[in-house]
Amino acid sequence: MFPGATTDREAASYVVVGAPLDATTTFQPGTRFGPDRVRRFAETFDDYDRRTESCFSAHGVCDAGNVRAWDDTEAYLDHLAAELRSVVYDDAIPLLVGGEHTVTHAGVDAVDPDVLVVCDAHLDLRDAYDGNPLNHACVTRRALDDLGVDR
């Protein structure tokens, strides 16, 4: 469980959702371990913020666990987006922890943001990689397509 989080989703303002997808990695597989590793290493961090003089965990954080992944990337992303939309419908903010970059597509689909900020060494703007348009190297392009942004 994410440090300071509860299992009370109904009272949560933020819901941590793990997405251990590892279907299209090209350099080193292992992104499926990401959500659990983030939780493990976050255990030792203090969540106090000096600027706001508050603890993040005091703002109603629920850890919903992981959405189990499978190899059909398109079906998984549809399912993950539905899980994240249920968080939005409950008036909470989903905090998605991957997994490979491809899970970002489901997050964008679920929240329909006004702004998309990408902080990465590369922008993942390919139309397809290895013949797969849902590859991790294409996730920003798919998100922009879904948002109706002209390139």
Side-chain angles (χ1 to χ4, degrees), residues 34-110:
D36 291 337
R37 293 240 171 101
V38 168
R39 288 179 180 102
R40 189 174 98 216
F41 289 111
E43 288 175 3
T44 60
F45 290 106
D46 184 0
D47 71 343
Y48 178 75
D49 178 35
R50 279 186 353 178
R51 190 178 57 77
T52 62
E53 296 184 356
S54 65
C55 291
F56 179 70
S57 56
H59 295 283
V61 180
C62 170
D63 190 336
N66 292 343
V67 176
R68 184 190 62 78
W70 61 89
D71 290 339
D72 184 338
T73 305
E74 185 173 9
Y76 179 70
L77 293 175
D78 287 343
H79 178 73
L80 179 59
E83 292 285 334
L84 296 170
R85 269 193 294 285
S86 75
V87 172
V88 174
Y89 292 152
D90 290 340
D91 290 324
I93 297 170
L95 302 175
L96 182 60
V97 181
E100 66 177 67
H101 297 184
T102 311
V103 301
T104 305
H105 184 256
V108 170
D109 184 29

Side-chain angles (χ1 to χ4, degrees), residues 105-116:
H105 184 256
V108 170
D109 184 29
V111 301
D112 192 26
D114 293 328
V115 175
L116 176 64

Side-chain angles (χ1 to χ4, degrees), residues 101-106 108 115-128 133-151:
H101 297 184
T102 311
V103 301
T104 305
H105 184 256
V108 170
V115 175
L116 176 64
V117 177
V118 178
C119 298
D120 198 335
H122 43 86
L123 292 176
D124 300 330
L125 287 169
R126 294 174 183 254
D127 187 46
L134 292 177
N135 185 284
H136 70 91
C138 311
V139 66
T140 304
R141 182 149 185 187
R142 295 291 81 79
L144 293 174
D145 288 347
D146 286 354
L147 294 171
V149 176
D150 292 327
R151 292 178 295 282

